[in-house]
Amino acid sequence: MEYKIAAQFFKALSHPTRLMIINELLDKKICVNDIEEILELRQSNISQHLSLLRLLNVVDFKKDGNKKCYFINNKGLIRDLLKIVKKIEEGEESKNAVDR
């Protein structure tokens, strides 16, 4: 296993905005302006995050006229990773409930 590549991959997933983008792309191809509207973020911010995700081969795009519409390259892997994130979240919520 190439640990540097794996570390870069996980680093790419470590930002909340990138996780939100990935979550939106799970079931469909979405253009940047639609992501902007859904997440209520600026296009320049979204484009920076998408560039990093594309560099690490998490997402790719197809041109639709003058728009770039993004999709996830390996949906199975991303779904599995998001399940892990959800379990971590649920564990934190349970822990916080016990601490109260």
Side-chain angles (χ1 to χ4, degrees):
M1 171 185 249
E2 178 58 52
Y3 292 106
K4 287 183 181 180
I5 293 171
Q8 288 177 328
F9 179 79
F10 284 111
K11 186 176 181 181
L13 299 180
S14 69
H15 196 281
T17 299
R18 289 191 287 273
L19 284 174
M20 289 188 294
I21 290 170
I22 288 168
N23 191 53
E24 292 301 324
L25 293 173
L26 267 179
D27 296 317
K28 57 195 171 284
K29 180 171 60 169
I30 305 178
C31 298
V32 175
N33 58 331
D34 296 326
I35 297 170
E36 180 181 4
E37 193 174 301
I38 292 166
L39 299 182
E40 298 179 355
L41 297 170
R42 292 189 359 214
Q43 186 268 332
S44 59
N45 188 337
I46 292 167
S47 292
Q48 287 176 336
H49 289 293
L50 286 168
S51 291
L52 179 60
L53 291 170
R54 188 163 177 258
L55 180 70
L56 294 169
N57 203 31
V58 175
V59 301
D60 204 351
F61 71 89
K62 290 192 178 189
K63 284 217 161 209
D64 183 10
N66 62 353
K67 296 179 183 180
K68 287 184 179 178
C69 298
Y70 285 81
F71 58 90
I72 293 178
N73 280 328
N74 188 335
K75 289 183 183 180
L77 172 65
I78 298 301
R79 276 197 175 95
D80 290 344
L81 290 171
L82 289 177
K83 285 179 188 175
I84 293 168
V85 169
K86 185 172 178 140
K87 287 183 186 237
I88 291 169
E89 269 183 3
E90 291 169 353
E92 283 297 314
E93 289 172 4
S94 299
K95 181 182 171 199
N96 289 339
V98 170
D99 290 344
R100 289 183 206 160

